[in-house]
Amino acid sequence: MAEPAPSMDAAPGAAPTTAPVALPDAPADTDTLTDTAAPTTYGLAPDEAADAARPRRSDATRAAILAAARDRFAADGYERATIRAIARDAAIDPSMVMRYYGNKAGLFAAASEIEVHAPDLTHSPRDEAGARLVRHFVERWECDETLTAMMRVGVTNEAGAERMRGVFAEQIEPVLAAVCPVPEEAPTRAALIASQILGMALCRYVLHLPPAVGLGRDELIAWLAPTVQRYLTAEHP
């Protein structure tokens, strides 16, 4: 059965076009990707069992789509990446991507959503702010592939770079401004700090330079923290 659906690979802001899309003969929320750790449904009525299983399958499908999208946007850039290629990488039907995200612009927006959860440095001893900030980001990078994936997207296409700049301005600059001794210098100091943290992240998690990869976590923090501390709190260069 086929019915009109919006074009899958529409650019941001473009008016949707219609094209036939084959929809699976299955309930609206039944995904082609299943979760092996599905919730227990023993003793439930069929409808209740389906409702209990559906959110887990949905979450697994969304996670697979977003992971594939980040990899594909990093490899091909926004313009060349397609919904069909992303769906193939995620091992699902393209109609599932359309169901969840509408088109390529919606998918990119979801895939590039990042919460860095920067720490409140006003609650730390002033002379420990640099170490706390570096530790936070090192630990985030080592437990969250999203940050690494978005860095790869950011260095390969402008849409990704713009999203990274937005995260930087919205989530990181205000945290640094709270402890900066010269508030009007906060954007400059934030950029200097980013050069250290993002630079090391690029070398360690994207390029995999052996000396950077070989550093232990505490050793890495010990090297970076004094420089970041100076950028944060020094009165003058």
Side-chain angles (χ1 to χ4, degrees):
M1 180 175 63
E3 61 182 50
S7 174
M8 292 185 291
D9 297 316
T17 59
T18 60
V21 175
L23 296 177
D25 293 327
D29 289 327
T30 299
D31 300 345
T32 58
L33 180 71
T34 59
D35 187 348
T36 57
T40 300
T41 58
Y42 179 77
L44 296 178
D47 290 347
E48 294 173 330
D51 289 342
R54 186 173 299 126
R56 293 290 293 274
R57 292 200 302 270
S58 175
D59 289 347
T61 300
R62 288 175 185 270
I65 292 170
L66 294 179
R70 294 181 188 110
D71 288 344
R72 182 60 61 176
F73 285 131
D76 294 350
Y78 180 84
E79 296 300 330
R80 293 177 56 200
T82 67
I83 292 291
R84 288 179 178 84
I86 291 167
R88 183 174 61 249
D89 294 344
I92 64 168
D93 190 276
S95 65
M96 300 304 299
V97 182
M98 294 289 290
R99 177 178 297 172
Y100 290 130
Y101 301 107
N103 56 24
K104 187 165 71 172
L107 176 58
F108 181 81
S112 60
E113 187 66 31
I114 302 174
E115 288 291 337
V116 298
H117 302 292
D120 183 353
L121 301 178
T122 61
H123 294 165
S124 300
R126 183 179 176 83
D127 61 354
E128 296 177 9
R132 185 178 180 200
L133 188 66
V134 173
R135 182 174 296 278
H136 172 81
F137 279 103
V138 170
E139 290 177 349
R140 281 297 311 278
W141 247 290
E142 295 189 350
C143 71
D144 186 355
E145 284 292 325
T146 301
L147 293 179
T148 302
M150 281 311 302
M151 173 168 280
R152 290 192 287 114
V153 173
V155 299
T156 57
N157 70 89
E158 178 56 29
E162 179 61 29
R163 183 67 194 116
M164 291 293 285
R165 288 193 290 268
V167 169
F168 183 80
E170 297 161 12
Q171 300 185 41
I172 300 176
E173 280 188 16
V175 171
L176 305 185
V179 296
C180 178
V182 185
E184 58 269 24
E185 292 179 355
T188 298
R189 291 172 183 251
L192 291 169
I193 290 169
S195 73
Q196 299 296 308
I197 295 177
L198 296 183
M200 176 53 74
L202 180 66
C203 293
R204 184 175 172 92
Y205 306 116
V206 178
L207 301 179
H208 301 292
L209 296 184
V213 174
L215 289 168
R217 181 185 297 182
D218 290 341
E219 186 180 10
L220 174 62
I221 294 168
W223 275 108
L224 292 180
T227 300
V228 171
Q229 180 71 37
R230 184 167 66 86
Y231 290 154
L232 271 174
T233 60
E235 295 289 340
H236 305 287

